[in-house]
Amino acid sequence: MADAGRDLRLEGVTKNFGDFVAVDDLTLTVPQGSFFALLGPSGCGKTTTLRMVAGLEDPTAGRVLIGDEDVTDLRPYKRPVNTVFQSYALFPHLTVFENVAFGLRRRGVSDYTEKTEKMIELVELAQYGSRKPSQLSGGQQQRVALARAMINEPGVLLLDEPLGALDLKLRRQMQIELKRIQTEIEITFVHVTHDQEEAMTMADTIAVMNHGVIEQLGAPGELYENPQTTFVANFLGQSNLIMTSVTGSSDGTVVVDCHGQKVGVDASRSHTTDGRGWLGVRPEKIFASEAGSEDHEGANVLTGGRVTDVSFVGVSTQYLVAMPWGQEVMVFEQNTGRRAPFRNGDEVDLAWSRGHAFLLDAGQDAHAGMINPEDPE
Ligand code: ATP
């Protein structure tokens, strides 16, 4: 990774639209050369944040810095920043080559031909240089837009839902492609998306935004495995959240009472202070077994479950298991074929490793961050 002298820093950045606070006192550092994702539901303030970095929106308060340079009051074109939008905004009358060369020619760079050819190669469009945008697929147009932005060697490249217009399969391909390009070129990428899978696939650091603030920031695996709020637990993947009360702790384990059954949580994953907590377990971390058939030595076990729904989804089977206190717990099991799937009505025990659970403050809404299946996004 390049030196840290050109980190992007936001210091206490706030944006109000009238009485509405779209971005609320945001402070964060995006290390130079990293792939950073701003992830959150529609309306959480991601695009507004990006636009303030680009200079397209003035912050109500706070500063934007690139390295030691305060760019808060600089015009957009004076900033070492380029933006790629969902609508690629290519010049329709120019060829791929001319589109990509545009920035260099405008600046009077003499060896633009060689640089442009290299960039077109990087985005794997070498055979398409003489085509017009209308003769390209959506994914190819997106790569031209990327090449056109990257050729200016911006310190920071802003990507605003850049893959939003592509169909799912192409989007997956482009995610891998974008990541490869970013690793090769070492430009800082700040990527805005509401798609958690997209953020997790590409970014080395994700900031999860909600209502104008960052709920949690970290590496994808860290956020997924050790969420600190119910919003993050539900927005990144799926979580079972069960109300418990803390009964004690020893040797780095917090013991909680889960409707009369005791289970342990690693202290490093325990984020509650008031004696109660949402016990969180991911559905794929739970191992379901026929009631009483295994001793699950050392693991957490909850007994008394009854299967109420079985959904076969190809790679896995997804169960709903009704627990004695009435809650239905989701369990995902890989279809390895090692045993026959459970059926409705089967009695099961649920087990998981202590290190795979987390404990969250009980004062929070257990439904925060859930993706509503009715929501088209
Ligand atoms: P999306 O994924 O839908 O683009 P977002 O997280 O990028 O959402 P923003 O576009 O940053 O959200 O908007 C944040 C909030 O600020 C929204 O509630 C939006 O309605 C509001 N907002 C954005 N721009 C303006 C504006 N120019 N005037 C008034 N309100 C605005």
Side-chain angles (χ1 to χ4, degrees):
M1 198 173 283
D3 76 282
R6 303 290 279 168
D7 291 354
L8 166 67
R9 287 187 289 145
L10 273 62
E11 290 181 359
V13 170
T14 295
K15 181 67 189 180
N16 299 339
F17 293 111
D19 290 345
F20 181 74
V21 185
V23 177
D24 193 1
D25 194 18
L26 203 69
T27 294
L28 65 89
T29 297
V30 179
Q32 181 176 4
S34 63
F35 200 139
F36 189 92
L38 272 175
L39 171 70
S42 181
C44 73
K46 320 179 283 290
T47 299
T48 304
T49 303
L50 208 69
R51 288 172 59 80
M52 289 192 282
V53 174
L56 302 169
E57 203 81 71
D58 290 327
T60 310
R63 303 198 305 160
V64 178
L65 296 105
I66 295 177
D68 289 329
E69 188 186 5
D70 184 340
V71 300
T72 320
D73 297 321
L74 283 188
R75 314 292 309 151
Y77 60 88
K78 296 256 178 170
R79 301 183 183 204
V81 170
N82 261 234
T83 310
V84 177
F85 296 99
Q86 179 174 333
S87 58
Y88 323 122
L90 299 174
F91 301 117
H93 56 291
L94 299 184
T95 63
V96 168
F97 181 92
E98 289 162 345
N99 262 286
V100 176
F102 186 82
L104 295 182
R105 286 167 91 167
R106 199 176 50 173
R107 283 191 281 130
V109 175
S110 55
D111 60 344
Y112 72 87
T113 304
E114 196 190 330
K115 284 192 167 146
T116 303
E117 277 167 1
K118 259 200 183 143
M119 188 53 75
I120 291 177
E121 235 164 74
L122 179 73
V123 296
E124 294 179 344
L125 288 175
Q127 303 100 303
Y128 298 90
S130 56
R131 287 212 194 167
K132 299 273 174 64
S134 61
Q135 298 167 312
L136 300 175
S137 73
Q140 290 164 341
Q141 290 182 39
Q142 180 56 269
R143 280 183 271 161
V144 178
L146 261 180
R148 194 179 58 169
M150 290 188 302
I151 204 161
N152 299 320
E153 296 179 10
V156 182
L157 188 68
L158 305 178
L159 302 149
D160 191 358
E161 301 269 7
L163 311 181
L166 308 179
D167 67 42
L168 190 64
K169 202 164 168 204
L170 196 52
R171 212 183 313 162
R172 295 277 171 268
Q173 260 175 24
M174 278 297 293
Q175 286 168 6
I176 295 165
E177 193 66 359
L178 258 181
K179 196 171 162 163
R180 175 189 67 79
I181 292 170
Q182 195 271 342
T183 314
E184 269 182 43
I185 201 155
E186 288 196 332
I187 288 175
T188 309
F189 277 28
V190 181
H191 180 197
V192 157
T193 181
H194 64 265
D195 180 336
Q196 45 113 4
E197 203 174 310
E198 184 160 305
M200 288 207 276
T201 307
M202 293 196 286
D204 19 72
T205 308
I206 299 177
V208 181
M209 269 188 97
N210 186 23
H211 296 309
V213 299
I214 291 179
E215 288 254 339
Q216 195 174 341
L217 184 149
E222 195 179 304
L223 295 186
Y224 185 84
E225 301 296 349
N226 192 4
Q228 292 177 11
T229 65
T230 55
F231 181 87
V232 176
N234 291 322
F235 195 72
L236 283 185
Q238 288 170 282
S239 296
N240 292 296
L241 295 175
I242 303 168
M243 184 51 77
T244 60
S245 50
V246 177
T247 61
S249 74
S250 67
D251 291 338
T253 299
V254 174
V255 179
V256 297
D257 182 312
C258 181
H259 301 271
Q261 307 190 52
K262 294 256 167 49
V263 297
V265 181
D266 273 356
S268 62
R269 290 158 168 262
S270 177
H271 308 289
T272 181
T273 46
D274 74 347
R276 291 181 320 135
W278 292 113
L279 171 71
V281 198
R282 300 282 188 188
E284 76 280 8
K285 300 289 200 293
I286 302 177
F287 175 71
S289 58
E290 190 184 330
S293 66
E294 309 231 359
D295 81 353
H296 302 294
E297 202 181 327
N300 286 320
V301 187
L302 291 176
T303 59
R306 194 170 43 79
V307 175
T308 54
D309 188 69
V310 182
S311 305
F312 174 76
V313 288
V315 292
S316 66
T317 300
Q318 307 193 346
Y319 297 104
L320 283 179
V321 177
M323 300 309 289
W325 58 92
Q327 185 172 358
E328 283 184 321
V329 169
M330 288 179 287
V331 179
F332 299 165
E333 186 174 82
Q334 289 289 318
N335 282 330
T336 58
R338 282 178 63 182
R339 68 164 188 222
F342 292 111
R343 286 178 301 196
N344 270 343
D346 284 354
E347 302 207 332
V348 292
D349 297 335
L350 305 183
W352 66 89
S353 142
R354 194 191 67 190
H356 283 162
F358 45 87
L359 194 64
L360 307 176
D361 203 285
Q364 303 170 83
D365 176 7
H367 297 98
M370 274 190 182
I371 316 266
N372 181 352
E374 305 290 313
D375 186 334
E377 292 201 333

